[in-house]
């Protein structure tokens, strides 16, 4: 699942603003973050969305088990759930809430932006 597709197909300007708001710095060779290092914009967006969405699912009872070097996250529902990917966790949560995955994903994305702006 391409997460960017579910957050409204961000324009270049919106992608840049999103990354800046999340603490990334634009550099000559890409985007830099203290957590993720220097990455091209597409990978920076992917990593940041993955982080924001996984943190939003934590508020709904999911656990983050870890991140891979490629920016993928393993999650588990509660204490006893089976480990799964972020897309699977989003599908499971959307099904539980009886909503489309894209709608839930976009809501989680917007909530992360609102929290950042309010901080």
């Amino acid at each position: 699942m391409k997460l960017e597709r579910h957050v409204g197909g961000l324009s270049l300007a919106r992608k840049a603003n999103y990354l800046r708001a999340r603490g990334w710095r634009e550099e000559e060779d890409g985007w830099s973050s203290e957590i993720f290092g220097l990455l091209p914009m597409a990978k920076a967006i992917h990593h940041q969305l993955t982080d924001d969405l996984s943190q939003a699912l934590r508020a709904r009872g999911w656990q983050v088990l870890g991140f891979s070097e490629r920016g993928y996250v393993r999650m588990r529902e509660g204490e006893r759930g089976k480990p799964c990917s972020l897309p699977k966790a989003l599908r499971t949560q959307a099904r539980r809430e009886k909503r489309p995955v894209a709608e839930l994903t976009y809501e989680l994305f917007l909530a992360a932006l609102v929290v950042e702006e309010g901080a």
Side-chain angles (χ1 to χ4, degrees):
M1 170 191 332
K2 189 166 178 145
L3 297 174
E4 295 87 303
R5 183 178 7 212
H6 292 295
V7 294
L10 301 173
S11 68
L12 281 176
R14 284 190 172 164
K15 287 178 183 178
N17 288 337
Y18 171 63
L19 290 173
R20 282 188 197 98
R22 309 309 272 163
W24 291 77
R25 293 174 314 282
E26 188 172 12
E27 297 187 7
E28 189 174 309
D29 295 332
W31 288 83
S32 178
S33 160
E34 292 192 21
I35 297 170
F36 300 109
L38 182 65
L39 298 169
M41 181 182 262
K43 286 190 186 239
I45 291 289
H46 173 79
H47 281 32
Q48 190 60 56
L49 280 172
T50 297
D51 187 48
D52 286 344
L53 294 173
S54 63
Q55 295 306 316
L57 284 175
R58 285 184 64 217
R60 286 175 156 81
W62 290 82
Q63 289 184 358
V64 174
L65 300 177
F67 288 85
S68 74
E69 287 183 23
R70 293 182 58 201
Y72 296 100
V73 65
R74 298 294 296 162
M75 302 198 71
R76 176 173 61 206
E77 186 175 13
E79 292 292 322
R80 299 178 182 229
K82 292 168 101 177
C84 66
S85 65
L86 175 60
K88 170 79 171 154
L90 288 166
R91 288 191 303 270
T92 301
Q93 188 65 37
R95 188 170 41 251
R96 179 170 295 112
E97 295 181 17
K98 297 178 174 63
R99 316 164 55 171
V101 177
E103 180 183 300
L104 172 66
T105 304
Y106 192 61
E107 179 186 300
L108 296 175
F109 168 72
L110 289 177
L113 290 181
V114 169
V115 168
E116 182 66 27
E117 288 174 3

